[in-house]
Amino acid sequence: MTVFVAVQTDDFCQASEYDELRRNAGCGAIVTFCGLVRDLQSTTLSGMTLEHYPGMTEKALKDIAYKAKSRWELGAVHIIHRVGYLKPNAQIVFVGVASAHRAAAFSACEFIMDYLKNQAPFWKKEHTTEAEYWVASKDSDKVALARWEH
């Protein structure tokens, strides 16, 4: 299995990542996910700052990719996560999975995102017109992760 992990300030090109995933012989399915900075319902978001621990974060992302590989037959996994200051609608995260079959690709992509949201060492600070605050973990993310732990 090919694993590519990047933590970066620069934006990424989904089409280029998809093309890289297509290079895996024997893979008949590719599933991708791209997360964006979304505007908040209750207030106006001016941006978000994402922080991480260099080295530790990349290792955590690779560990998540290999954990997915232990559950499904995968040809490739690409994970890109941006850090720094991002404006609303900016791309934050890309997860791409190539597999021989669609079921494995869909499941692995969702699994990776659920683990990433709960176990990757990233911290988010939202900047609004009213205040700045660190984003707390969500119970819904913990519930999503729990379904994989059996």
Side-chain angles (χ1 to χ4, degrees):
M1 177 179 81
T2 304
V3 173
F4 173 79
V5 167
V7 177
Q8 61 194 43
T9 56
D10 293 336
D11 202 359
F12 50 84
C13 174
Q14 292 183 58
S16 295
E17 294 305 315
Y18 180 85
D19 286 344
E20 285 298 316
L21 290 164
R22 284 186 64 197
R23 296 178 194 264
N24 291 275
C27 290
I30 295 173
V31 172
T32 65
F33 171 83
C34 182
L36 307 174
V37 177
R38 67 177 179 274
D39 206 354
L40 305 171
Q41 300 294 324
S42 59
T43 187
T44 303
L45 183 74
S46 56
M48 177 183 288
T49 301
L50 291 104
E51 296 183 1
H52 77 298
Y53 281 124
M56 178 191 294
T57 305
E58 292 83 352
K59 181 184 180 318
L61 296 178
K62 285 179 184 174
D63 289 348
I64 292 167
Y66 284 108
K67 188 176 280 196
K69 168 63 176 156
S70 74
R71 295 179 73 127
W72 297 279
E73 191 174 322
L74 306 177
V77 173
H78 283 212
I79 303 172
I80 302 172
H81 204 296
R82 294 181 66 200
V83 293
Y85 182 80
L86 302 173
K87 293 184 178 184
N89 209 38
Q91 299 182 129
I92 300 174
V93 61
F94 174 88
V95 173
V97 177
S99 180
H101 304 286
R102 71 176 185 265
F106 274 113
S107 295
C109 191
E110 195 168 11
F111 173 93
I112 290 166
M113 275 307 305
D114 288 343
Y115 269 83
L116 190 151
K117 290 283 289 180
N118 283 279
Q119 296 186 349
F122 289 102
W123 294 269
K124 299 176 183 178
K125 180 186 269 189
E126 291 181 345
H127 308 275
T128 70
T129 52
E130 291 81 27
E132 295 181 349
Y133 53 89
W134 292 102
V135 178
S137 62
K138 297 178 186 173
D139 289 338
S140 59
D141 291 335
K142 293 174 186 170
V143 169
L145 179 65
R147 68 191 168 124
W148 301 110
E149 296 179 347
H150 46 55

